[in-house]
Amino acid sequence: MKGKIINISKISDIDTSKISVYDLNNRYIDARGNIYGLKYNTGSKKIDIIKILRATDKEAAALKQFLARKKMGVMESNGADEITSADTSSPEEEPREIFDADRFISTTISNMGTHRNRIKGVIMSIRNSNIIILEDKMESNELEQIFRDYEIDMEAMFDKVDNYQKELVNYPRSITYYQAKVDDNGRKIIEALAGNTERIMKFVYHYEMSNTIKEVYLHLKVIMGKLKDFMINKNIEEVKNATQHDKQLFQDANTSINNTMMEIDRLLTDIEHLEKYLAEPDHY
């Protein structure tokens, strides 16, 4: 479905009462460079306006130039006097995607809390479901080992991310300390920033958080993969004396595991965007 980039003065210019499902791919850019999208709210059955990101002055100017070029092209071909939107279907002229590294990192760290609470709930549901018979030592030991791996390793890794972010933001160490930790590409970026401490520390923050978050979620993916395989191989219909409540607890846990696995895969893909962002000294 095609979308349009539409110039607006302010967010109140977007009249959701006049928007249909065919407009959901539209993007709106206001006078300050804020970019908005649309989302259908299944609960309220209405269209919500969502803020996608905040463009830098340079990026906002590039978007406006793009819109101006599209406007002139359509006016020349159609003889139109006025146009307020531009078709974004052309890959040759479409402005580059804007990636907000700071927002991605803060959102990811915030979502870690959600994942921690969800997985604790999964573990509790499985234990309370009475589907895993304690007398079956092989089965119960396998499951408890997975739980121990999560509770010992992952809880510590989640805490590490929180603490490391606080260190980098509030009481960072010397540049030479972090410079010794980065890879060859990272050292080239630091050298390209020519001794500008503020820009170097911004790069260090993004670099270190990227690696730390990636390490956490790669490890979590392994543990959740083991748990998912365990759940798949368990036929709850064969469990004697299992109540409908027991079965529901087990099934709900399985659904949460699958959802978490999909979110991990999406996050690791997004990390690739952050890694590409890191490779450009002009971002700092």
Side-chain angles (χ1 to χ4, degrees), residues 42-91:
T42 55
S44 64
K45 307 297 183 184
K46 295 180 179 179
I47 302 293
D48 290 340
I49 300 171
I50 55 174
K51 185 175 180 180
I52 299 175
L53 45 79
R54 171 71 170 94
T56 64
D57 292 341
K58 183 178 180 180
E59 289 163 336
L63 277 170
K64 290 181 179 297
Q65 288 174 4
F66 165 75
L67 288 170
R69 289 197 305 271
K70 294 290 285 185
K71 175 179 177 180
M72 291 301 299
V74 175
M75 287 175 67
E76 289 174 1
S77 61
N78 295 342
D81 293 327
E82 183 178 0
I83 184 168
T84 59
S85 62
D87 191 338
T88 64
S89 59
S90 171

Side-chain angles (χ1 to χ4, degrees), residues 127-273:
R127 281 176 170 157
N128 292 341
S129 69
N130 299 314
I131 296 296
I132 309 304
I133 309 301
L134 294 179
E135 286 72 17
D136 186 338
K137 294 299 182 182
M138 182 176 294
E139 187 176 68
S140 61
N141 287 343
E142 179 185 355
L143 180 62
E144 286 302 322
Q145 183 59 53
I146 296 172
F147 289 166
R148 279 194 296 273
D149 288 344
Y150 173 79
E151 291 167 345
I152 294 173
D153 296 341
M154 290 311 309
E155 288 293 337
M157 293 183 79
F158 282 135
D159 287 338
K160 176 184 175 182
V161 178
D162 285 335
N163 293 332
Y164 200 25
Q165 187 198 33
K166 291 174 183 175
E167 173 190 314
L168 290 166
V169 172
N170 299 320
Y171 41 91
R173 306 189 194 196
S174 66
I175 290 177
T176 54
Y177 170 82
Y178 296 111
Q179 191 168 6
K181 296 181 66 179
V182 302
D183 59 17
D184 289 341
N185 291 330
R187 279 189 282 275
K188 290 178 182 177
I189 297 292
I190 291 176
E191 290 171 4
L193 297 178
N196 187 309
T197 300
E198 183 177 351
R199 295 174 69 195
I200 291 174
M201 288 311 299
K202 184 177 180 182
F203 166 75
V204 165
Y205 173 74
H206 290 161
Y207 179 91
E208 288 296 310
M209 293 311 300
S210 173
N211 287 345
T212 305
I213 291 170
K214 185 175 183 178
E215 178 188 13
V216 168
Y217 277 98
L218 283 174
H219 196 71
L220 181 60
K221 183 176 182 177
V222 172
I223 293 176
M224 297 304 290
K226 291 179 180 178
L227 185 55
K228 181 179 180 178
D229 291 341
F230 179 91
M231 300 287 281
I232 289 174
N233 292 326
K234 185 65 180 178
N235 187 347
I236 61 177
E237 300 303 329
E238 294 179 353
V239 180
K240 296 180 180 179
N241 302 320
T243 66
Q244 188 57 43
H245 177 67
D246 292 333
K247 295 177 181 179
Q248 190 63 54
L249 282 174
F250 199 80
Q251 290 169 343
D252 289 347
N254 196 34
T255 298
S256 292
I257 292 168
N258 290 332
N259 290 340
T260 302
M261 289 291 290
M262 288 190 292
E263 289 171 9
I264 291 172
D265 286 338
R266 284 197 296 268
L267 189 144
L268 290 174
T269 298
D270 288 339
I271 283 286
E272 294 177 5
H273 293 298

